[in-house]
Amino acid sequence: MGGSNSVLNFGAGPAKLPREVLLEVQGELLNYQNMGMSIMEMSHRSPEYSKINADAQKAVRELMNVPDNYRVLFIQGGGTGAFAAVAMNLLNRTGSADYLVTGTWSRKAAKEARKYGNVKLVFPEPELGTIPDQSTWTFDPEASYVYYCANETVDGVEFGFIPETHDVPLIADMSSSIMTKEIDVKKFGVIIAGAQKNIGPAGVTVIIVRDDLLGNPMTICPSILDFTHISKENSVHNTPATFSVYVMNKVFDWIKRNGGVKEMEKQANEKSKLLYDTIDNSDGFYYCPISEECRSRMNVPFRVGFNKGNVALEAEFLDHALKYNMHQLKGHRSVGGMRASLYNAVTLEDVQALVKYMKEFQKEKAAL
Amino acid sequence: MGGSNSVLNFGAGPAKLPREVLLEVQGELLNYQNMGMSIMEMSHRSPEYSKINADAQKAVRELMNVPDNYRVLFIQGGGTGAFAAVAMNLLNRTGSADYLVTGTWSRKAAKEARKYGNVKLVFPEPELGTIPDQSTWTFDPEASYVYYCANETVDGVEFGFIPETHDVPLIADMSSSIMTKEIDVKKFGVIIAGAQKNIGPAGVTVIIVRDDLLGNPMTICPSILDFTHISKENSVHNTPATFSVYVMNKVFDWIKRNGGVKEMEKQANEKSKLLYDTIDNSDGFYYCPISEECRSRMNVPFRVGFNKGNVALEAEFLDHALKYNMHQLKGHRSVGGMRASLYNAVTLEDVQALVKYMKEFQKEKAAL
């Protein structure tokens, strides 16, 4: 039982969880609160799960300073489920929506939304690793909403600012950046976030929705994606992935104990700066294709072996990394190269170990 | 760590899991297959999870003897998600479907399907606890499919036979009866089943779908409910509730080790017979409102205190049951009284303890 503490997990999701959380979960796996049962074996309407559901909602409010006129919901179906849900809950307003496509996930969200209405792009799809200057954006004043992905997990592109949409509701996919940066929730109409990167295991998606955007779902919206219905039923409209919500709630407690979102943000800045500096100071041996102003603090894609990367060298890099117990560093199949994900549970020490290895690997290759 | 073995859990779902399974899960919670990580921390595209996904599909095929022309899928969203999915994947055929409404869950399924087309009832909604004689059923030969719920968890009504629909595809919700009875899968077009009763924790729904029913989803079908898309993507179309699938796969192994579905069926018959006999031989002190021919082997609703039940006595029954460590016996809020759920992980010994307590309680009350 237990397991090595020395493994370094840079996976993009499902991703590293705080060890303290896993130990707590393990400790009470067969005996939740001395009930003699696992939390997995209890009704979603039991007092025990009801408290978890309430506590987790409260934690989101507290950690993100969510205003009173927003509801916090938990749904199933991941980010992709939420893409459809956003459109089916909000497109009824005018039948058209504006999308900022900056990478894989926002492209998928736009594609899903096209099933339900008119989707307009705010700018033509940009070159990989860039976000077009705001002066070139074109908004439709009649849009039901404006949608963007705050951090593109696959591409390593992150918005360093919140798009200004004037009175049109702004919808953000924060699946890979939720609770890693202090944000002003009232600038958003809806925030969606799959848990499996910064705040929990897979199986639950957090939805933060402004009250006035409820009440107008399309008639074809499935109950499990209907924000209005789910809000009325307090996220137990049907059986949720109870264990996922339970673990997520423990991660929320862990974030609270560790300085809250403010501290997560500070660490995210430190961790990502260390890695980008190592890449930028490698005389081109390591290469990150993302423009500096939109480099993600969460997902750092890089090539090994100058410029576009040397595939043989990259395989060697991955292979040696495994010997140092560094896991899940391989880049997304659509991008290639490496990707180090630096979510909340990844420590500065983990990143220090990674850059130490990177420097050693570079030195070894230079000596050949 | 660990926890009492003496708790008896008769919950309707999420429900009791085999203790052996929970111990295995606990043992490897921080260190799956000596990887030094939890399975919750691994990518859904990792070799480790890919094997779990493949093994779980194979186990469903093996345990249920699924013919080659059927696909086994894992989706999120529970039974309620699958209600919408069935309609959006199959109603396109003719725009109309036939529903057998025999209780809470089939009623909900019919309601959800009405969002997507014409829903016809095969018979007027019957009195609680009965299934109308087949001679009174009216089928629409133009129906896209015929839908029924094989076991109504809330109402305690189970079909003792498979409805004959001639050439119209038969869709069954087996959420609370999957793998408790040997069935001939080829009589079905689609089988849907939330895992959290007989085969795992909440968070995953098993879909068994015949090949020829794929390929014609409605354009408004969300990707996460699109059987054709999910089949092509081998159930990793997006991040699944990986932990739920992992635990479910362990339950499949446990069923295999314990004699397979044949043995589960034998035990289900024994367990439910023991409880119904106790009720029927109580001189009316306990009362089950369900007609004998459609009594559920899985969910046994009963009243305490003659006929329609005595609410004060029922509260006392529940209270005393807790002293014997018998949990989750309270009936569904829409039905009242008691409900004992006798899923695969509930043992004959558990039911023997329950009926022993029931007899003692009755004797105690008779002596007053």
Side-chain angles (χ1 to χ4, degrees):
Chain A
M1 211 168 283
S4 165
N5 202 358
S6 61
V7 165
L8 304 177
N9 180 356
F10 296 105
K16 188 182 177 190
L17 289 164
R19 191 174 166 81
E20 282 167 65
V21 166
L22 290 173
L23 284 168
E24 273 180 39
V25 169
Q26 185 180 46
E28 62 196 27
L29 198 90
L30 278 84
N31 190 10
Y32 182 68
Q33 295 191 336
N34 287 319
M35 294 289 288
M37 293 183 267
S38 175
I39 187 66
M40 279 185 269
E41 301 179 293
M42 294 185 190
S43 169
H44 55 298
R45 303 197 191 277
S46 65
E48 292 76 19
Y49 184 75
S50 299
K51 181 164 175 7
I52 290 169
N53 186 36
D55 286 352
Q57 289 177 37
K58 202 170 146 234
V60 172
R61 291 193 167 280
E62 195 179 315
L63 285 163
M64 295 180 69
N65 201 14
V66 177
D68 286 347
N69 63 323
Y70 286 74
R71 305 273 71 77
V72 176
L73 316 178
F74 304 135
I75 69 171
Q76 294 187 65
T80 306
F83 297 164
V86 162
M88 284 190 277
N89 283 281
L90 302 179
L91 254 176
N92 249 352
R93 298 175 74 239
T94 68
S96 187
D98 277 353
Y99 276 69
L100 281 67
V101 172
T102 54
T104 302
W105 287 105
S106 50
R107 193 182 307 123
K108 286 193 182 193
K111 187 179 173 199
E112 193 76 6
R114 280 195 192 94
K115 295 178 179 175
Y116 309 103
N118 195 10
V119 166
K120 295 182 183 164
L121 299 187
V122 174
F123 43 75
E125 214 178 301
E127 210 183 319
L128 173 74
T130 63
I131 297 174
D133 191 84
Q134 284 185 84
S135 63
T136 68
W137 299 7
T138 311
F139 286 116
D140 170 9
E142 291 301 305
S144 291
Y145 58 86
V146 175
Y147 179 102
Y148 82 116
C149 178
N151 182 73
E152 292 277 4
T153 316
V154 169
D155 310 277
V157 168
E158 183 172 12
F159 278 79
F161 59 95
I162 297 174
E164 176 53 65
T165 62
H166 305 286
D167 288 339
V168 179
L170 179 62
I171 317 301
D173 174 4
M174 295 193 186
S175 289
S176 47
S177 62
I178 190 167
M179 296 195 191
T180 68
K181 191 193 247 182
E182 289 190 299
I183 56 151
D184 185 357
V185 172
K186 70 173 182 297
K187 295 201 169 160
F188 298 88
V190 180
I191 293 168
I192 63 173
Q196 69 271 15
K197 290 152 196 300
N198 280 297
I199 55 174
V204 53
T205 307
V206 174
I207 306 287
I208 304 173
V209 54
R210 210 173 62 206
D211 276 347
D212 64 291
L213 298 174
L214 297 173
N216 194 17
M218 294 184 177
T219 54
I220 48 105
C221 184
S223 299
I224 61 156
L225 298 177
D226 178 343
F227 296 160
T228 308
H229 176 64
I230 295 164
S231 174
K232 276 181 195 151
E233 300 286 334
N234 194 29
S235 298
V236 282
H237 48 292
N238 74 332
T239 317
T242 53
F243 187 81
S244 300
V245 177
Y246 152 79
V247 178
M248 179 175 73
N249 188 44
K250 284 196 185 291
V251 176
F252 291 156
D253 282 342
W254 176 86
I255 295 176
K256 283 190 220 167
R257 285 197 305 274
N258 285 278
V261 174
K262 192 188 190 76
E263 179 63 23
M264 296 299 125
E265 179 171 5
K266 183 170 159 275
Q267 290 182 16
N269 292 340
E270 279 177 22
K271 290 182 288 184
S272 57
K273 182 175 189 307
L274 176 59
L275 182 49
Y276 283 118
D277 283 352
T278 304
I279 293 167
D280 292 344
N281 295 329
S282 71
D283 296 322
F285 183 76
Y286 297 109
Y287 170 74
C288 170
I290 312 301
S291 291
E292 260 186 62
E293 72 282 3
C294 59
R295 283 180 169 182
S296 168
R297 301 160 311 131
M298 291 296 124
N299 312 98
V300 181
F302 63 94
R303 306 299 307 236
V304 183
F306 301 102
N307 218 329
K308 297 283 174 193
N310 173 325
V311 174
L313 213 54
E314 287 178 335
E316 204 180 328
F317 180 90
L318 276 178
D319 190 53
H320 285 210
L322 275 181
K323 288 179 189 151
Y324 286 93
N325 263 329
M326 293 179 188
H327 288 266
Q328 307 203 101
L329 273 168
K330 196 176 182 179
H332 190 272
R333 58 214 149 105
S334 68
V335 174
M338 307 295 127
R339 176 176 47 172
S341 295
L342 313 179
Y343 299 132
N344 283 341
V346 174
T347 64
L348 181 60
E349 291 69 36
D350 293 350
V351 184
Q352 284 165 341
L354 173 62
V355 303
K356 181 163 178 275
Y357 163 61
M358 287 169 70
K359 285 176 185 169
E360 281 171 14
F361 186 82
Q362 182 180 358
K363 196 180 280 179
E364 186 189 310
K365 291 299 145 191
L368 292 181
Chain B
M1 211 168 283
S4 167
N5 202 359
S6 61
V7 165
L8 304 176
N9 181 356
F10 296 104
K16 189 181 175 188
L17 289 164
R19 191 175 165 81
E20 282 167 63
V21 166
L22 290 173
L23 284 168
E24 273 179 40
V25 170
Q26 185 180 44
E28 63 196 27
L29 198 89
L30 278 84
N31 191 10
Y32 182 67
Q33 296 193 336
N34 287 319
M35 295 288 288
M37 292 183 267
S38 175
I39 186 66
M40 279 185 270
E41 301 178 294
M42 294 185 190
S43 169
H44 55 299
R45 304 197 190 277
S46 66
E48 291 76 19
Y49 183 75
S50 298
K51 181 164 175 9
I52 290 168
N53 186 36
D55 286 352
Q57 289 177 37
K58 200 169 147 234
V60 172
R61 293 194 166 277
E62 194 178 316
L63 284 164
M64 296 180 68
N65 201 15
V66 176
D68 286 346
N69 63 323
Y70 286 75
R71 303 274 73 77
V72 175
L73 315 178
F74 304 135
I75 70 170
Q76 293 187 65
T80 306
F83 298 164
V86 162
M88 284 190 277
N89 282 281
L90 302 178
L91 253 175
N92 249 351
R93 299 175 74 239
T94 67
S96 187
D98 277 353
Y99 276 70
L100 280 68
V101 172
T102 55
T104 302
W105 287 106
S106 49
R107 193 182 305 121
K108 286 193 183 192
K111 187 180 172 197
E112 192 77 5
R114 280 194 193 94
K115 296 178 179 174
Y116 310 103
N118 195 10
V119 166
K120 294 181 183 163
L121 299 186
V122 174
F123 43 74
E125 214 178 302
E127 210 184 319
L128 174 73
T130 62
I131 296 174
D133 192 84
Q134 284 186 82
S135 64
T136 69
W137 298 8
T138 311
F139 286 117
D140 171 8
E142 292 301 304
S144 291
Y145 58 86
V146 176
Y147 179 102
Y148 83 117
C149 178
N151 182 74
E152 292 276 4
T153 316
V154 169
D155 310 276
V157 168
E158 184 172 12
F159 278 79
F161 59 95
I162 296 174
E164 177 52 65
T165 60
H166 305 286
D167 289 337
V168 179
L170 179 62
I171 317 300
D173 174 4
M174 295 193 187
S175 290
S176 48
S177 62
I178 191 168
M179 296 195 192
T180 68
K181 192 193 246 182
E182 290 189 299
I183 56 152
D184 184 357
V185 172
K186 71 173 181 294
K187 294 199 170 160
F188 299 88
V190 179
I191 293 168
I192 63 172
Q196 69 272 16
K197 291 152 197 298
N198 280 296
I199 55 173
V204 53
T205 307
V206 174
I207 307 287
I208 304 173
V209 54
R210 210 173 62 207
D211 276 346
D212 65 290
L213 298 174
L214 296 172
N216 194 17
M218 293 183 176
T219 53
I220 48 107
C221 185
S223 298
I224 61 156
L225 298 177
D226 177 344
F227 296 161
T228 308
H229 175 65
I230 294 164
S231 174
K232 276 181 196 152
E233 300 286 334
N234 194 29
S235 297
V236 281
H237 48 293
N238 74 331
T239 316
T242 52
F243 187 81
S244 300
V245 176
Y246 153 80
V247 178
M248 178 174 74
N249 188 43
K250 285 197 184 290
V251 176
F252 291 155
D253 282 342
W254 176 85
I255 295 176
K256 284 191 219 167
R257 286 198 303 274
N258 285 278
V261 174
K262 192 188 191 79
E263 179 63 23
M264 296 299 124
E265 178 171 6
K266 184 170 158 275
Q267 291 183 16
N269 292 340
E270 279 177 24
K271 289 182 289 184
S272 57
K273 184 175 187 309
L274 176 59
L275 182 49
Y276 284 118
D277 283 352
T278 304
I279 292 167
D280 292 344
N281 296 329
S282 71
D283 295 323
F285 182 77
Y286 298 109
Y287 170 73
C288 170
I290 313 302
S291 292
E292 261 187 62
E293 71 282 5
C294 59
R295 283 179 169 182
S296 168
R297 301 161 309 132
M298 291 297 123
N299 311 97
V300 181
F302 63 93
R303 306 300 307 232
V304 184
F306 300 102
N307 217 330
K308 298 283 175 195
N310 174 324
V311 173
L313 213 54
E314 287 178 335
E316 203 180 329
F317 180 90
L318 275 178
D319 190 52
H320 286 211
L322 275 181
K323 288 179 189 152
Y324 287 92
N325 262 329
M326 295 179 186
H327 289 266
Q328 306 202 104
L329 273 167
K330 195 174 184 180
H332 190 271
R333 59 214 149 105
S334 67
V335 174
M338 307 296 127
R339 176 176 48 171
S341 295
L342 313 178
Y343 300 132
N344 283 341
V346 174
T347 64
L348 181 61
E349 291 69 36
D350 293 349
V351 185
Q352 284 165 342
L354 173 62
V355 304
K356 183 164 177 274
Y357 163 61
M358 288 169 70
K359 286 175 185 169
E360 282 171 13
F361 186 82
Q362 183 179 0
K363 197 180 280 177
E364 186 189 311
K365 292 300 144 192
L368 293 183

